[in-house]
Amino acid sequence: MGTLDTSPSNAPSVAPYDLPDSRGYFGEFGGSFVPEILVPALGELTNAFDEALHDPAFQARYHSLLRDYVGRPTALTFAERLTAHFGGARIYLKREDLCHTGAHKINNAIGQILLARRMGKTRIIAETGAGQHGVATATVCARFGMECIVYMGAEDMERQRLNVHRMNLLGAEVRPATSGSQTLKDATNEAIRDWVTNVRDTFYIIGSVVGPHPYPRMVRAFHTVIGEEVKAQLESREGRPNPDILIACVGGGSNAIGLFHPFLDDKNVRCVGVEASGEGLEGRHAATLTLGTPGILHGALSYLLQDDQGQIELAHSISAGLDYPGVGPEHAWLKQSGRVEYISATDTEAMEGVKLLSRTEGIIPALETAHAIAGLSQIAPGTPHDELIVLNCSGRGDKDMQTIAEAL
Ligand SMILES: *Cc1c(COP(=O)(O)O)cnc(C)c1O
C-alpha cells in the first residue's frame, strides 16, 4: 500500500481535514493538558514521529510488518446475504477481524513500537480496559523482545481474565489499578503516573485516537491504512474508489478514523459513527458524543460523560471496548463541524447485530463491531441498489463468546 498519512505537513489534498494544528487542536478540541514534566517528552515524541513519517526506511519497515506479521491488506468482503437482507445498497465489510490478534488495534501497536525503538526507549507501558489493546501491545513487545507493563483496572482484570492470561503468556506484566472504579480511567491514571516517573527510558503506547497531542494524530496515521486499502479495493471491485456510506463503531474512535479519514475531503461520502448507548440513552450508556459535554480527560479536551461538578461518570456498554467515558478530540470536532454523523446502538441492538452478521455471513463479530452492524440496520433499509456501503468489521467475536452466550 501507499505511504502513511503524513498530514498536516505533507497532505495538500485533504484540507481542511489536515488538522490538528501544530498545537494539537482540531477546532477547539484536543491540545495537551499534562503535568509539566511530560511536556518535553511529548515534544520529543512529536519530532520523532514527524521524522519517522518522512523516512522511507521507517515507512518500509512499518508496511512490511503490516504485510508479513499482521496479514495486510485485509480482505474487503462483499456481504451478499446481508445486502439481500436489507434489500438496498451493496454492503462490503472491511475485515479488520482478520488481522493478527483479531482486531485493528495491532496496526497502531506496530507503528508505535517501531517509533519507540527508533527513539531508543527500552521500556513499554500501556493501559487497557477490555484487554485488547494490552494484548496488541504485549504482542508487539514479544515480537521485538521489549519489556512490557500493562496497567489494567482490578475490576477489569476480573472480568477479562482470558486477556490477562494472554498478556502474561506473551511475557507482559499486568499491574492492577486498584483506585476509583478499578476500570480503564484508573488504569490510565496509573500509566500516566508511571510515565511521569520513568519518562527517560519509557514509551507510552496509547491504544486509540485519544490522549495529548501528538497521540490523536499519530494513532490516526497508523490506522489510515484501513481507509487507503478500501479505496484501492473498491476501485478494483466496483470501478470507483469512494463508497456512498461508511459505517464504523466509535469507542475512542481509532477504527472509525482509520476508515473515514482518507475520505473526509470528499463530501459525497457519508460517514456514520456508532456509539454504545448501553441500556438506552436514559439509562447507563457510553454515548459520549451524543450526550456528553466538553471537558478534559487524559490530557485532551473532548466530549466526556461528566456530572455538573466535572466528575467523570462511569460509562456502560455490553462491549468492553466501547465502555469509555471519553472520545478522541477529532471526533468531537467532526461532530461539531457536521462532517460525520454519530448515532448510537443499545446493548440489545448490538446483540441483534451479532446474530445478524453471524447468520447471514458466517462471521461472528466483536461486540464493538456489532454496534456498527446495529447502526447499519438503521441506515441500510431504503438505500438505492446502486449505492455502496462499507462497514468496518473492527474485530472478531471469539473474545466475547462468554458475554454473548450469557446475553442470549
Ligand atoms: C478496542 C476496539 C474498538 C474500539 O476502539 P476504537 O478506538 O473506537 O476503534 C472497536 N472494535 C474492536 C474490535 C476493538 O477491539
Side-chain angles (χ1 to χ4, degrees):
M1 291 306 300
T3 53
L4 287 165
D5 163 31
T6 57
S7 58
S9 49
N10 193 23
S13 66
V14 294
Y17 298 103
D18 56 357
L19 291 172
D21 65 20
S22 60
R23 290 157 53 245
Y25 280 89
F26 302 87
E28 69 190 76
F29 301 105
S32 181
F33 299 84
V34 295
E36 198 79 46
I37 190 171
L38 293 179
V39 172
L42 287 165
E44 183 198 8
L45 178 60
T46 305
N47 292 339
F49 172 59
D50 279 330
E51 278 173 30
L53 282 183
H54 295 96
D55 177 357
F58 182 89
Q59 296 268 356
R61 186 85 176 111
Y62 169 74
H63 283 287
S64 75
L65 281 159
L66 289 189
R67 185 188 62 218
D68 302 333
Y69 189 67
V70 174
R72 305 204 72 93
T74 57
L76 184 71
T77 302
F78 175 57
E80 186 177 347
R81 292 202 342 108
L82 191 61
T83 296
H85 173 82
F86 290 117
R90 294 163 63 76
I91 300 164
Y92 281 90
L93 306 170
K94 182 56 174 164
R95 301 293 305 283
E96 294 301 294
D97 57 312
L98 298 177
C99 289
H100 178 45
T101 70
H104 67 291
K105 288 194 171 72
I106 190 95
N107 303 326
N108 168 52
I110 291 274
Q112 287 196 51
I113 202 160
L114 287 180
L115 199 55
R117 293 173 66 75
R118 185 183 170 94
M119 294 173 73
K121 305 291 182 187
T122 53
R123 186 171 172 271
I124 300 292
I125 59 169
E127 90 292 326
T128 196
Q132 292 305 106
H133 173 57
V135 170
T137 302
T139 299
V140 297
C141 286
R143 169 63 185 76
F144 287 96
M146 289 179 78
E147 181 185 357
C148 179
I149 290 139
V150 179
Y151 290 92
M152 190 168 184
E155 174 77 29
D156 286 337
M157 285 178 71
E158 204 58 47
R159 288 193 292 190
Q160 306 286 337
R161 197 179 293 260
L162 205 54
N163 276 336
V164 175
H165 290 315
R166 286 195 180 100
M167 288 184 270
N168 286 331
L169 183 61
L170 291 160
E173 179 192 338
V174 184
R175 289 195 188 156
T178 52
S179 61
S181 58
Q182 311 194 351
T183 60
L184 180 60
K185 72 180 166 67
D186 312 292
T188 305
N189 290 338
E190 293 292 329
I192 291 174
R193 215 165 288 149
D194 180 316
W195 203 28
V196 166
T197 312
N198 302 294
V199 65
R200 280 209 6 249
D201 66 350
T202 298
F203 191 102
Y204 180 16
I205 297 189
I206 291 185
S208 189
V209 283
V210 300
H213 178 63
Y215 281 99
R217 174 164 75 94
M218 185 166 75
V219 175
R220 178 183 77 195
F222 293 136
H223 279 306
T224 48
V225 64
I226 300 172
E228 295 294 348
E229 285 178 7
V230 167
K231 269 187 194 274
Q233 289 167 321
L234 272 187
E235 178 72 59
S236 77
R237 299 280 283 281
E238 295 280 347
R240 57 172 166 126
N242 287 0
D244 299 280
I245 304 174
L246 294 170
I247 302 181
C249 65
V250 177
S254 67
N255 86 89
I257 277 291
L259 178 67
F260 297 165
H261 198 264
F263 297 94
L264 288 178
D265 57 343
D266 189 334
K267 296 278 168 30
N268 295 323
V269 181
R270 180 180 172 197
C271 298
V272 183
V274 188
E275 295 193 294
S277 52
E279 297 167 345
L281 292 173
E282 286 77 41
R284 298 181 305 149
H285 62 82
T288 315
L289 288 162
T290 308
L291 290 180
T293 48
I296 292 168
L297 178 66
H298 302 155
L301 176 65
S302 186
Y303 279 87
L304 318 173
L305 301 179
Q306 58 188 338
D307 66 17
D308 299 341
Q309 321 298 330
Q311 293 297 311
I312 304 303
E313 289 175 340
L314 266 189
H316 166 80
S317 167
I318 193 171
S319 147
L322 303 183
D323 191 352
Y324 177 63
V327 66
E330 186 165 10
H331 285 287
W333 178 73
L334 288 169
K335 176 191 161 77
Q336 196 184 54
S337 69
R339 177 64 188 90
V340 176
E341 287 164 57
Y342 295 90
I343 60 176
S344 64
T346 63
D347 291 350
T348 311
E349 290 164 340
M351 285 308 305
E352 289 304 314
V354 169
K355 279 194 276 185
L356 180 62
L357 193 68
S358 300
R359 290 176 190 181
T360 55
E361 297 296 333
I363 297 169
I364 301 176
L367 279 171
E368 293 84 3
T369 309
H371 288 73
I373 312 283
L376 178 73
S377 302
Q378 298 173 35
I379 298 229
T383 49
H385 292 278
D386 60 352
E387 289 201 349
L388 301 175
I389 298 178
V390 176
L391 180 139
N392 207 8
C393 192
S394 59
R396 66 177 184 228
D398 309 43
K399 69 181 176 64
D400 295 319
M401 277 317 299
Q402 186 75 38
T403 312
I404 293 170
E406 280 163 20
L408 293 175

